[in-house]
Each structure stands twice: as structure tokens, then as C-alpha cells.
């Protein structure tokens, strides 16, 4: 644990090297304030830090917390809650009192207060960023008895409803007997100890067998076997007071109660959490004891360190829109505030072992409030907890480049790095060639999700390919994470040496696999021009059985070019020559005509349209081949304006990227309109619990795509050039601080149609700044 903490502090010192001279706080108006209690968990407020997420709310005069940890994966690969805490005070301070619950953004905690005459009670809920500890601090003007109940709904093993299997890897499996296995909960001295230890046999074993990989099973990385997660609840001078039971919403639960020995005015309740893959349960218990010992520092020091982390986090970057007009609560003011609120939610899992999930992160609540047809336990989320859907995950992590949150990208990069060996072994075993062919729906260990792979597959079907109409031949999404890794080097000069094998392996797969496929059909591995024949390929989930998909070509061209642009020490000369040769083998992008206007085609040809994402715009974003300040902008604009599929598919819900494309193409009016729709207050009480979309709520790929679009409206970076306010409405006042390549900070204040302040660090980068366009870019 001590070593882990030192890593956190090292990351902290690196991340905040630039721009520490003056700490700039968020506007107080961005704090979320509620003056009434919540009706249920859907009206909860997020709180967290490190790798822990809390949903905090007060209901029927009790404080309640859902507790989540980003790596609590059970044997079916669901990401389950660690339970619920209930805090009850007697005499109850909330009855007939003036109530207030506030998210203090600058300091990263939730404050709940009750005022009744001269009686005042205040409860602060916060999570230690550097140690996995939840703190509930109670201060009261008069002594009160305190009951803290740890509540758990997994007290017995039960069979899951067929639809409930969508919370784990089984999804639409043909198996009727999929179980949620019980946790272990008990009083231990004056504490409540709770944990879940996975069985040795898990969905990993079923998946390996399904994919015909039993012969290499012993060589495969398996992170869920014997994975153990849980923790301990304790409070000074609190003792066990028996059990309780009840039903919250639609889920039965049991409770383990701790009671204060006597009424007190001040009390701190703590929950220590640990996830560890261990050979024995005793190892996990020893880990909990070590955690309590090493975390037993001065609580004031721990609190101060956590507050300092949040303040430095906000100092890295910000976007304030019309901040002086907060009382008007304009649409654009909401955009700026909700951008910060969603970034706060991302900060709750800054240093998790596992990445932040696109479908709710670690902040989900009872599913019936998201979908009335899902009356399941609080563990439920659609599209699984342990499946990393790449097209969705990318939108959570791309905005971290311009916000300067490079340290927070590591869990997502490490997810691919840890799984790399499994995928390379599969390629060699199934196809007999090298390279990592990461599929779209990936388990925590890298193999395809078994349901997406296909529980019922035709005999003789390619063992390396998903038997799925949406996902077949879809491997190029891993290249977006390779690109992000390369961009962290370009933006912040991060040492990416450990990830070079991952990038090279993803490229090797495409070079070898498509020559392999060509040789299955004929005598030549390349076409008559010496180019790879990318068939069958896929334009995301939309253009299926494509020939030379534009999205794949753009990905390969961009990743190869950026890899070759790395400083010399990253690549041997032989490797550099190899990648130059491969770059020359990448076929060109295909163009087409839209009523006489030349535009980008999604592929040379394709067999069918399966989804509704126009990947002909991928060369605009994420790959940056077309756009402001680049050749061929008119071609990209023709695609935006005249392609019938682009028009038909246009939208803003969930993972839709039209707001980003509009910004990249200089379409100010459309970009602003879509941005407002993306980042306006959501339908739930907490404004940045975005949804309901295609996935789950809170919808993190909705928030992430909103962040990206807003950033691109303010600043775009092409090679060494920085385009300032390229797609920004004149009537929107803004103050922002964003990161650009070459360790560059851009601070700008734009008011009443003019730039009032512009600060570029380092100053020598000022020559690369191109100020905003006066009018939207149009074509005749």
C-alpha cells in the first residue's frame, strides 16, 4: 500500500508541473445545492476519489450512500456495488429543519446540513484520493445517538432473471442458471467486515472453452479468478447493535448495525476498501489490516491532501461560459457548468486499476429509475460491468488530452497492455500469425465478450471473428487508444516506452492478417498497386463487409505517421523502416459524388448498413486528416452537407459525435446548437447524470463526447498550429484553460466578441497561435 501511495504522489507531482503559480477556483455557482431531501437513489449526488465512487442522498431523514469501486468484478464479470451505508441520528436533526445538501466542487466533497433554531448538524462525506477510504464526518450542536448500518442485498445466492444477465458477460446466453453469488458479512469485534471472493471457475473458463482456446488456457491472463473485494466499516466508540432487514425500492436487503456507545456531538465513520486477486482469503484479510494500519494517519492531513488534489485538478484546466451571468442560468452557462460537473465525475476514478466505464462509471443507481422494465438490484447496468466497449470507452478518455488529465488515462491504456499477451496468443493459435486483433467488445482479460462472440456459432466459422452482425471484422477501435497513447507523448512528452509493443502489435495484426485473408482467396497478398486489401473490414458497426473501410484506412495512416514521428529512441531503425514500408502499403481513402459534390466515401463498397454512425466522417474526427487549416476541407464539408447518411444519422444522444464534427468543420451555429443539446441539464436531479441514451445512466460517453465537442469549439491543434476559437459563437463569453501539444497551456478570456486576455505557456508557442475565424466556414 505504501508503494501504491508513492506512485500516486509521483503522478501528482508530474501532472501539476505546469501552471501552478496561481490556483484558480471554480465559481461557487457551479456547486450543486439541494434544499430538499431526495425521493430515491436516482436523486443522488456523486462523490468520490482515487477509485471509489459514492452516490450520496438523504431520504426519509436518513443519509444513504451507495459505494462502488472500479475493480470490484465478480465471477460473471459484473461490476457490483460494495453495498449501501445508512446513517441515522437520534434525535433526528432533519425533521422539521432547514435542509441543505451541497456538492463542494473545489474541495471534492458533499456537505449535508440541518438547521433548526439554534440546533445545527453538519455531515461531510469525502473520499481519500490517495487511500481507498470513505469518510463520513458528523458534527452536531447537541449530542446524538448514531446508528450506522451496512446494507447488502447479496446475502444469499440467487438465480438471475434472463434480462438481468446483461449486467455481466453472459448477456443473452442460452444458460438459464446464471447466479449472483452471496457475499460474506459479519461483525468482527466492533466493526462490520464484508467481502466477496470469486470462485476459481468463472465466466473466463466458459469463454475460453467457447472460443476454442483450452489448449492455451494456462498461458492466458485471468484477472477475475479469486478476485476478492470488500472492506470494513468502523467508527470510534461504536459497537454492534444487531441486524435489520427491509426492502429498498424493489430489492430486499439485510443490515449490520453499529451504534454509538453514548450520544456524541462529533463522530467519524470510515469505510476501508480493498480489491485484491489473492491465492488465499487470508491474504486479502491481511491486506485490509495493512490498509487500516498505513491509512491510520492524521485525518486532518489526509483531508488536506485530498482537498489539495482537487484544487490542483481544477487548476489544470477549466471552461467557464458566461460565468458572470450564473443567475440567468442560460443554456450556454449550463454547458460550462455541466462540463465541469462531468469532469468531476471522471475525477472520482482518477487512479483506479480499472478504467471508468462508459455505461455509468462507478455512479450507477437502482436500475428501475433508468428503465422501468429493469426491476433488478442496484448492481444492474446494461452492457455489462466488465466489458470494455471500445467505441464508447474512447469518448470517456479522449477529452483528457486537452483537459491535461494525462495521469488519469493510464488505467485505460493499461487495460489494453495487460490483455496484450492474451490477444497475441490467440492470433498465433487461431490464425498462425502475429499481432493483436482486439475486438470491439472486450472482457477484462481481452477476449471478446462471449455473447458478442456468439454462443451459437456455425460449425467451421472463423474462431477469431465475432459471430455478430454489428461486430464482425471490427478490430480498428484499438487503434484509437494507440493514438491516445501517442498523443500523450505529443502533448505532454510522456514516456510511452512501455506501450510501444502494444502499438506495434496492433499494427502488425493489420499487416499480417489482411495478407493472410488475401491468401485464403487467391495467390497475391496485396493488390495490383502493392496495397493491403482490407476486406472484409468494417466502418465501425455501420458499414459491414466493407472493402477498404475509410475509418480503418484513416486509423492506420494516422497511427503509423504518429509512430514514425516519435523521437528516435523509441524505435530501432529496423522497426522504423518496417513501419515506413507498411505506411506505403495502406490504400488511399475512397471518394464519391453527392449530387456533383466530391465527398468522402465510407468504403470502396460495402454489403449492408447495420447501425447509424457515419464513419465517412472519421477522417475529420478522431483522425484529423480533414478539417480547419488543412487541405480538402471542402471535401469534408461536402460530406457533412450532402451525404444523405450523414444527414439521416445526425443527432446528439449518447455517443453521437455530430457536435465534434461540426466543430472540426468550422460550423459554428450547428456546433453550438448540438453542444447545448449535449451538455444541457439531464433529466435526473444531478444535472450531469446524462441519459437516457443508448447505453446506461449516468451515460459517460454522452458526457465525454460533449466535453470533446466543447473543447474543439474553443481550440483545435493541427501539427504545431493552435487554432483559437475556431467555432465559437461571438455572443458567448468564455474563460478557459486548455492543454495543447508540446507541453503548451492556452489560457484565454473572450468577452463581448473580443479576446481580453491570452496567455500562452511557453511564450515561444505564441507564434503558432491562429486567432478565431470571424464567420462560420461555408461552401457555395
Amino acid at each position: 500500500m505504501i508503494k501504491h501511495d508513492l506512485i500516486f504522489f509521483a503522478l501528482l507531482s508530474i501532472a501539476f508541473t505546469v501552471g501552478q503559480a496561481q490556483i484558480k477556483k471554480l465559481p461557487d455557482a457551479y456547486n450543486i445545492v439541494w434544499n430538499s431531501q431526495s425521493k430515491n437513489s436516482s436523486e443522488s449526488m456523486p462523490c468520490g476519489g482515487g477509485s471509489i465512487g459514492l452516490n450520496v442522498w438523504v431520504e426519509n431523514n436518513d443519509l444513504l450512500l451507495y459505494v462502488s469501486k472500479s475493480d470490484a468484478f465478480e465471477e460473471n464479470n459484473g461490476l457490483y456495488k460494495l453495498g449501501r451505508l445508512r446513517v441515522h441520528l437520534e434525535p433526528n436533526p432533519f425533521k422539521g429543519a432547514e435542509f441543505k445538501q451541497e456538492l463542494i466542487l473545489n474541495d471534492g466533497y458533499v456537505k449535508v446540513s440541518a438547521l433548526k433554531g439554534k440546533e445545527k448538524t453538519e455531515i461531510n462525506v469525502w473520499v481519500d484520493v490517495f487511500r481507498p477510504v470513505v469518510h463520513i464526518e458528523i458534527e452536531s450542536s447537541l449530542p446524538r445517538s448514531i446508528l450506522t448500518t451496512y446494507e447488502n442485498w447479496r446475502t444469499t445466492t440467487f438465480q438471475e432473471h434472463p434480462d438481468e444477465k446483461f449486467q455481466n458477460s453472459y448477456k443473452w446466453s442460452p444458460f438459464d442458471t446464471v447466479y449472483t453469488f452471496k457475499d460474506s458479512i459479519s461483525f468482527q469485534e466492533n466493526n462490520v467486515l464484508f467481502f466477496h471472493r470469486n470462485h476459481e471457475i468463472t465466466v473466463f473458463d466458459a469463454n475460453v472453452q467457447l472460443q476454442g482456446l483450452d489448449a492455451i488456457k494456462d498461458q492466458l491472463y485471468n484477472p477475475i479468478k479469486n478476485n476478492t473485494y470488500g472492506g470494513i466499516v468502523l467508527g470510534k466508540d461504536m459497537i454492534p447493535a444487531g441486524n435489520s432487514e427491509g426492502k429498498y425500492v424493489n430489492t430486499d436487503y439485510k443490515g449490520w448495525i453499529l451504534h454509538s456507545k453514548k450520544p456524541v456531538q462529533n463522530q467519524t465513520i470510515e469505510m476501508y476498501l480493498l480489491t485484491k486477486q489473492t491465492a488465499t482469503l487470508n491474504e486479502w484479510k491481511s491486506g485490509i489490516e495493512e490498509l487500516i494500519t498505513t491509512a491510520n494517519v492524521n485525518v486532518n492531513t489526509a483531508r488536506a491532501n485530498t482537498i489539495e488534489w482537487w484544487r490542483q485538478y481544477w487548476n489544470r484546466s477549466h471552461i467557464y461560459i458566461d460565468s458572470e451571468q450564473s443567475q440567468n442560468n442560460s443554456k450556454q452557462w449550463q454547458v460550462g457548468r455541466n462540463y465541469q460537473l462531468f469532469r468531476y465525475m471522471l475525477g472520482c476514478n482518477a487512479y483506479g486499476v480499472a478504467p471508468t466505464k462508459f455505461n455509468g462509471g462507478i455512479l450507477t443507481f437502482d436500475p428501475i429509475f433508468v428503465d422501468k422494465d429493469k426491476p433488478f438490484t442496484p448492481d444492474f447496468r446494461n452492457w455489462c460491468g466488465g466489458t470494455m466497449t471500445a467505441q464508447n470507452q474512447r469518448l470517456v478518455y479522449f477529452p483528457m488530452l486537452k483537459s491535461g488529465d494525462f495521469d488519469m488515462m493510464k488505467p485505460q491504456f493499461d487495460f489494453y497492455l495487460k490483455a496484450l499477451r492474451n490477444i497475441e496468443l490467440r492470433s498465433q493459435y487461431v490464425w498462425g500469425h502475429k499481432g493483436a486483433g482486439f475486438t470491439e467488445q472486450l472482457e477484462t482479460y481481452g477476449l471478446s465478450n462471449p455473447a458478442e462472440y456468439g454462443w451459437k456459432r456455425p460449425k467451421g466459422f472463423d474462431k477469431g471473428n465475432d459471430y455478430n452482425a454489428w461486430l464482425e471484422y471490427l478490430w480498428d477501435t484499438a487503434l484509437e487508444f494507440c493514438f491516445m497513447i501517442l498523443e500523450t507523448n505529443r502533448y505532454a512528452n510522456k514516456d510511452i516506452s512501455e506501450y510501444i509493443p502494444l502499438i506495434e502489435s496492433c499494427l502488425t495484426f493489420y499487416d499480417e492478417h489482411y495478407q493472410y485473408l488475401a491468401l485464403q482467396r487467391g495467390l497475391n497478398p496485396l493488390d495490383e498497386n502493392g496495397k493491403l486489401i482490407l476486406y472484409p473490414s468494417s466502418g465501425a458497426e455501420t458499414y459491414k463487409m466493407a472493402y477498404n473501410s475509410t475509418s480503418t484506412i484513416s486509423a492506420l495512416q494516422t497511427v503509423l505517421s504518429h509512430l514514425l514521428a516519435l523521437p528516435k529512441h523509441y524505435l530501432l531503425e529496423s522497426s522504423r523502416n518496417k513501419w515506413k514500408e507498411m505506411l506505403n502499403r495502406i490504400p488511399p481513402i475512397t471518394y464519391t459524388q453527392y449530387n456533383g459534390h466530391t465527398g468522402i466515401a465510407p468504403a470502396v463498397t460495402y454489403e449492408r448498413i447495420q447501425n447509424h454512425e457515419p464513419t465517412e466522417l472519421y477522417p475529420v474526427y478522431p483522425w484529423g486528416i480533414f478539417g480547419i487549416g488543412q487541405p480538402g476541407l471542402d471535401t469534408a464539408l461536402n460530406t457533412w452537407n450532402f451525404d444523405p447518411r450523414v444527414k439521416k444519422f445526425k443527432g446528439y444522444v449518447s455517443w453521437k459525435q455530430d457536435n465534434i464534427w461540426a466543430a472540426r468543420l468550422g460550423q459554428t451555429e450547428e456546433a453550438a446548437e448540438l453542444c447545448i443539446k449535449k451538455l444541457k441539464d439531464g433529466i435526473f436531479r444531478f444535472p450531469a447524470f446524462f441519459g437516457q441514451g443508448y447505453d446506461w445512466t449516468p451515460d459517460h460517453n454522452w458526457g465525454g463526447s460533449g466535453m470533446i465537442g466543447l473543447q474543439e469549439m474553443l481550440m483545435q491543434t493541427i501539427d504545431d498550429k493552435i487554432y483559437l476559437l475556431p467555432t465559437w459563437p461571438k455572443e458567448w463569453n468564455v474563460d478557459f484553460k486548455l492543454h495543447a501539444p508540446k507541453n503548451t497551456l492556452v489560457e484565454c478570456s473572450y468577452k463581448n466578441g473580443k479576446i481580453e486576455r491570452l496567455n500562452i505557456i511557453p511564450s515561444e508557442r505564441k507564434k503558432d497561435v491562429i486567432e478565431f475565424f470571424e464567420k462560420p466556414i461555408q461552401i457555395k
Side-chain angles (χ1 to χ4, degrees), residues 1 4-5 8 47-55 65-72 79-85 125-136 150-152 154 183-184 192-196 227-234 269-277 283-296 348-349 351-353 362:
M1 293 305 299
H4 197 50
D5 291 343
F8 281 169
C47 184
S51 64
I52 296 169
L54 308 177
N55 295 73
L65 283 73
Y66 275 135
V67 183
S68 300
K69 199 165 183 294
S70 64
D71 53 1
L79 179 59
Y80 285 5
K81 299 285 187 189
L82 277 75
R84 182 174 57 234
L85 276 184
V125 180
W126 62 281
V127 178
D128 192 328
V129 170
F130 303 104
R131 298 172 180 84
V133 186
V134 177
H135 297 264
I136 303 172
Y150 170 77
E151 297 176 351
N152 189 297
R154 298 184 300 267
D183 293 350
S184 297
V192 179
L193 179 71
F194 61 95
F195 63 88
H196 181 92
N227 191 42
T228 308
Y229 55 86
I232 195 164
V233 180
L234 54 87
I269 301 156
E270 295 174 329
M271 177 185 273
Y272 293 81
L273 303 172
L274 178 66
T275 304
K276 192 171 185 179
Q277 190 174 18
E283 286 185 17
W284 180 84
K285 290 182 176 179
S286 296
I288 278 285
E289 292 172 1
E290 180 187 359
L291 172 62
I292 294 173
T293 300
T294 58
N296 190 21
C348 292
N349 188 36
Y351 301 129
V353 172
I362 46 177

Side-chain angles (χ1 to χ4, degrees), residues 158-420:
F158 61 88
Q159 185 174 334
E160 294 176 5
H161 184 278
D163 291 342
E164 199 170 6
K165 292 183 291 185
F166 269 78
Q167 72 190 13
N168 56 52
S169 295
Y170 283 100
K171 293 184 181 175
W172 50 80
S173 74
F175 311 121
D176 294 328
T177 52
V178 175
Y179 294 94
T180 289
F181 294 97
K182 69 177 182 178
D183 293 350
S184 297
I185 309 120
S186 61
F187 291 113
Q188 186 179 61
E189 297 180 347
N190 291 330
N191 311 317
V192 179
L193 179 71
F194 61 95
F195 63 88
H196 181 92
R197 179 168 171 80
N198 290 351
H199 297 130
E200 288 197 13
I201 303 300
T202 67
V203 69
F204 169 89
D205 301 274
N207 199 10
V208 168
Q209 183 179 35
L210 173 69
Q211 299 194 30
L213 301 175
D214 279 322
I216 59 171
K217 180 178 177 179
D218 291 343
Q219 302 175 58
L220 299 178
Y221 157 69
N222 178 5
I224 56 176
K225 176 182 177 180
N226 293 334
N227 191 42
T228 308
Y229 55 86
I232 195 164
V233 180
L234 54 87
K236 184 180 179 181
D237 293 327
M238 298 191 79
I239 58 175
N243 296 95
S244 63
E245 60 181 37
K247 175 177 284 192
Y248 184 75
V249 187
N250 51 270
T251 303
D252 294 326
Y253 69 86
K254 291 183 179 179
W256 281 254
I257 306 169
L258 296 178
H259 192 286
S260 55
K261 289 182 179 179
K262 61 180 181 179
V264 293
Q265 289 180 269
N266 301 291
Q267 178 65 277
T268 297
I269 301 156
E270 295 174 329
M271 177 185 273
Y272 293 81
L273 303 172
L274 178 66
T275 304
K276 192 171 185 179
Q277 190 174 18
T278 62
T280 67
L281 179 60
N282 285 335
E283 286 185 17
W284 180 84
K285 290 182 176 179
S286 296
I288 278 285
E289 292 172 1
E290 180 187 359
L291 172 62
I292 294 173
T293 300
T294 58
N296 190 21
V297 298
N298 184 291
V299 70
N300 293 326
T301 302
R303 180 77 186 279
N305 289 339
T306 291
I307 289 174
E308 178 64 13
W309 186 91
W310 280 107
R311 291 187 178 182
Q312 292 281 11
Y313 180 65
W314 298 122
N315 193 52
R316 292 186 198 182
S317 69
H318 65 262
I319 298 174
Y320 310 146
I321 304 174
D322 287 351
S323 59
E324 297 176 359
Q325 303 173 27
S326 60
Q327 299 305 315
N328 297 332
N329 199 16
S330 66
K331 292 180 180 178
Q332 58 264 31
W333 183 87
Q334 277 189 23
V335 164
R337 192 271 312 272
N338 292 344
Y339 173 96
Q340 304 294 161
L341 291 181
F342 185 71
R343 185 163 173 255
Y344 169 77
M345 292 161 63
L346 294 178
C348 292
N349 188 36
Y351 301 129
V353 172
T356 296
K357 285 299 305 295
F358 70 95
N359 54 343
I362 46 177
L363 298 167
T364 55
F365 44 82
D366 291 84
I368 199 167
F369 300 120
V370 179
D371 185 340
K372 61 181 177 59
D373 295 325
K374 301 287 191 291
F376 305 130
T377 76
D379 296 321
F380 184 86
R381 70 179 74 211
N382 229 1
W383 305 112
C384 189
T387 301
M388 304 294 169
T389 307
Q391 292 175 98
N392 306 74
Q393 288 294 125
R394 60 179 176 174
L395 296 171
V396 178
Y397 281 89
F398 261 127
M400 295 182 188
L401 291 167
K402 283 190 169 67
S403 64
D405 299 322
F406 310 109
D407 52 335
M408 288 167 49
M409 302 177 81
K410 183 174 173 57
Q412 182 66 70
F413 298 164
D414 286 353
F415 164 78
Y416 278 94
L417 190 61
K418 291 173 185 175
L420 175 62

Side-chain angles (χ1 to χ4, degrees), residues 689-735:
F689 277 180
F690 298 116
Q692 301 163 342
Y694 303 124
D695 302 309
W696 201 244
T697 300
D699 190 331
H700 279 43
N701 51 191
W702 186 319
S705 57
M707 287 183 72
I708 298 166
L710 184 60
Q711 292 170 348
E712 295 296 317
M713 290 170 67
L714 288 165
M715 185 185 76
Q716 295 178 30
T717 58
I718 309 299
D719 298 323
D720 289 342
K721 298 298 181 185
I722 299 170
Y723 289 84
L724 196 63
L725 302 167
T727 323
W728 193 254
K730 281 189 174 184
E731 63 275 15
W732 291 13
N733 297 333
V734 65
D735 186 283

